[in-house]
């Protein structure tokens, strides 16, 4: 259960890649959902006056509540939970994109977060985005050149035409998501976090993606996968973290956690 960190790795040396120690993440939303014309001016006035702490019109959202776990090299870990349970927020904290209110996140190596909304440039061609995306992920120009055709072939966006030479704004959402995944998966990662990327595309692409995740694990990386598809979690992950309302309810073997989750939620 959540009070014991589950280890899915076989016996032998274990190398931690991510340690979450009593992590709390709090959002403060100004305006309380009823922002009016004066809200931006009022916020600026508060800043100028140096006001601190909670004030009228500020709503606090405790998105992650005391989550602790340790992830190891070679693991593929699924994150499950209903909408708003804190899954994506937790990944953003591991990636260093969100500060913790309390607790700490420790990582070995550079975490990379891939989401379906990962930014590529719509006015540039797919070809240019492959180059820029590869460079942004830390590949050298030579590495990008060597892996370019594999990235295009993996994404499958050229199967029905020469789409790689067209601006990305002409792509469907599924095509864009497949290209983003293909760019990210072309590089070996210390920690790769995938947020719903496998929910896009046809089954053939999902199978390719799942095979690539297994390869990344064999190459000593750690993979986190957020998905609403229990099948993708079962096919890909050996361990699952179940979050609800920001709390870690269960941490254990994939089948065990998913059975409990499906029994509780009917999903």
């Amino acid at each position: 259960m959540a009070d014991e960190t589950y280890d899915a790795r076989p016996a032998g040396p274990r190398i931690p890649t991510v340690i979450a120690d009593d992590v709390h993440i709090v959002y403060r939303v100004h305006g309380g959902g009823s922002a009016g014309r004066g809200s931006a001016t009022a916020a600026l006035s508060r800043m100028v006056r140096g006001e601190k702490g909670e004030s009228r019109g500020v709503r606090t959202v405790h998105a992650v509540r005391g989550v602790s776990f340790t992830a190891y090299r070679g693991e593929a870990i699924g994150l499950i939970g209903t909408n708003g349970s804190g899954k994506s927020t937790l990944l953003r904290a591991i990636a260093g994109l969100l500060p913790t209110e309390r607790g700490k996140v420790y990582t070995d190596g550079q975490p990379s977060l891939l989401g379906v909304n990962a930014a590529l440039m719509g006015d540039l061609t797919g070809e240019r985005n492959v180059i820029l995306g590869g460079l942004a992920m830390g590949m050298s120009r030579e590495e990008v050149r060597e892996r370019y055709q594999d990235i295009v072939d993996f994404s499958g966006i050229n199967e029905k035409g020469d789409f790689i030479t067209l601006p990305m704004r002409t792509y469907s959402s599924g095509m864009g998501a497949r290209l983003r995944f293909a760019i990210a998966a072309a590089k070996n990662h210390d920690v790769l976090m995938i947020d719903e990327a496998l929910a896009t595309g046809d089954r053939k692409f999902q199978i390719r993606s799942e095979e690539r995740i297994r390869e990344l694990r064999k190459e000593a990386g750690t993979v986190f996968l957020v998905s609403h598809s229990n099948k993708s979690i079962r096919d890909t992950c050996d361990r699952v973290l179940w979050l609800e309302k920001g709390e870690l309810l269960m941490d254990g073997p994939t089948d065990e956690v998913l059975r409990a989750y499906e029994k509780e939620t009917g999903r």
Side-chain angles (χ1 to χ4, degrees), residues 142-213:
E142 183 60 30
E143 287 174 323
V144 174
R145 282 194 292 269
E146 289 175 354
R147 302 177 192 185
Y148 172 81
Q149 194 59 49
D150 288 339
I151 292 171
V152 176
D153 292 343
F154 188 98
S155 72
I157 64 172
N158 264 9
E159 291 177 353
K160 296 182 179 180
D162 191 21
F163 284 97
I164 197 68
T165 62
L166 297 178
M168 274 201 66
R169 56 181 162 75
T170 66
Y171 292 7
S172 68
S173 59
M175 290 170 63
R178 294 200 303 273
L179 185 59
R180 282 187 281 271
F181 183 91
I183 294 169
K187 180 180 183 292
N188 295 336
H189 298 267
D190 299 312
V191 178
L192 177 61
M193 294 169 288
I194 305 166
D195 194 349
E196 292 289 4
L198 299 189
T200 62
D202 57 19
R203 184 57 187 159
K204 185 169 74 170
F205 177 76
Q206 291 175 17
I207 291 171
R208 286 204 302 269
S209 302
E210 291 161 3
E211 289 174 350
R212 179 55 182 147
I213 288 175

Side-chain angles (χ1 to χ4, degrees), residues 18-175:
V18 176
I19 299 173
D21 181 15
D22 191 31
V23 171
H24 293 257
I25 301 171
V26 175
Y27 293 107
R28 289 176 177 82
V29 183
H30 292 267
S34 58
R37 281 188 174 180
S39 59
T41 303
L44 180 59
S45 297
R46 287 195 299 270
M47 292 170 62
V48 170
R49 292 196 303 268
E51 293 181 6
K52 297 181 180 180
E54 296 292 334
S55 61
R56 186 178 180 183
V58 177
R59 185 164 57 95
T60 297
V61 179
H62 203 151
V64 174
R65 301 169 178 267
V67 170
S68 297
F69 66 87
T70 301
Y72 297 91
R73 288 196 183 279
E75 285 189 316
I77 301 174
L79 273 70
I80 63 172
T82 53
N83 288 338
S85 60
K87 305 181 298 295
S88 297
T89 298
L90 182 59
L91 288 193
R92 288 174 62 80
I94 294 171
L97 301 175
L98 284 176
T100 60
E101 183 82 4
R102 298 202 312 273
K104 297 287 185 181
V105 176
Y106 305 93
T107 60
D108 178 31
Q110 178 61 48
S112 300
L113 175 60
L114 171 67
V116 293
N117 294 321
L120 293 179
M121 303 186 72
D123 288 335
L124 298 182
T125 64
E127 182 178 22
R128 288 294 297 165
N129 273 296
V130 169
I131 296 168
L132 293 176
L135 294 174
M137 299 208 69
M139 287 188 265
S140 67
R141 289 185 177 275
E142 183 60 30
E143 287 174 323
V144 174
R145 282 194 292 269
E146 289 175 354
R147 302 177 192 185
Y148 172 81
Q149 194 59 49
D150 288 339
I151 292 171
V152 176
D153 292 343
F154 188 98
S155 72
I157 64 172
N158 264 9
E159 291 177 353
K160 296 182 179 180
D162 191 21
F163 284 97
I164 197 68
T165 62
L166 297 178
M168 274 201 66
R169 56 181 162 75
T170 66
Y171 292 7
S172 68
S173 59
M175 290 170 63

